[in-house]
Amino acid sequence: MRSPRLQTKLFFRKSPKPLTGQRYTKNHTIAFFIPPFFNMASNESELHHSGTTNLSLGRIRSLFHDEDMRRTWLTRNASWRKMFVSQPPIEEIHWKVTREDQPEPGGRMWPEKTALFKFPDGLRMGAFYDLILGTTSRYHITWPSLECHRESFEHSDPPSETEWKVYQVNTKKYRRNAILIHQYVFMDDRPEYQQREMFWNPTDLRKYRQNLATVKSLVWKEVAGGGMKWTYESHGNDAEAMECFLRATQEPGHREEEYP
């Protein structure tokens, strides 16, 4: 398979433009086998243009009920791991994690962390799959729209604070070639998490530290003059920041203070 054109069509070689007339082309071959990763409904033949898909380890397990598929999929150095998830390739993952197995600090919301992963050479399926399977346990995954337009409000009244935040997220989504992942960690997800090796070759996610741009924690802090407010505290992108990300995204049922 030495033809550059063929390698591009098969998502092994980077393309500077989409393979179709839309903003970019998702990897239809991989999407056929694991449609939830690509916002593709299992009973439809077409990929969704936008929107969010719900993904859990239980749902992933249901995709690998066939033993032959598991054997092929889990082959070491399988070729699918080297394929780009899209053309042109996605270059960022914006990751937000909410721990719903922990108490609410400040009595207002659940603990949250955000992380930004950058893949300047393009996000390949192996990294995307590792980051999902190496963490836990339920996700809302939003791909950028395949269309070029931006959403607008349907009414003339000023948007509420919630609407405005959603709009800002969508604006970034359209402007950037990024996948948005919101991960929820629940106390009762441990059994599924422990069974994930059935469809994943365990990988130390620290190998992706080189792609980690920043990690931030939402903290409840006292402000000058009295009172409290929510603010993001940056952990940077060093080894400690990666450990912070792993503590927040792995092992359901644990609270952060239980880690050394």
Side-chain angles (χ1 to χ4, degrees), residues 175-221:
R175 186 171 67 246
R176 298 179 180 177
N177 208 15
I179 294 175
L180 309 179
I181 296 178
H182 191 169
Q183 175 190 0
Y184 295 87
V185 182
F186 297 90
M187 182 71 77
D188 60 352
D189 288 328
R190 178 175 294 276
E192 287 188 354
Y193 177 75
Q194 293 174 332
Q195 296 174 13
R196 73 196 191 286
E197 285 80 2
M198 294 173 57
F199 35 86
W200 179 59
N201 289 320
T203 301
D204 187 348
L205 296 188
R206 292 174 183 83
K207 66 185 286 187
Y208 297 110
R209 176 193 157 190
Q210 61 184 336
N211 303 103
L212 181 64
T214 184
V215 176
K216 296 180 180 179
S217 297
L218 190 62
V219 294
W220 185 240
K221 278 192 172 183

Side-chain angles (χ1 to χ4, degrees), residues 6-12 19 25-35 38 40 45 47 69 73 79-80 83-86 125:
L6 181 57
Q7 289 180 337
T8 300
K9 291 185 68 174
L10 294 176
F11 293 84
F12 288 110
L19 305 183
T25 307
K26 294 180 181 180
N27 189 325
H28 294 73
T29 301
I30 301 297
F32 177 80
F33 292 101
I34 50 175
F38 290 82
M40 181 180 181
S45 60
L47 296 174
M69 180 181 175
W73 190 265
S79 60
W80 64 266
M83 300 173 76
F84 291 114
V85 300
S86 68
M125 193 60 215

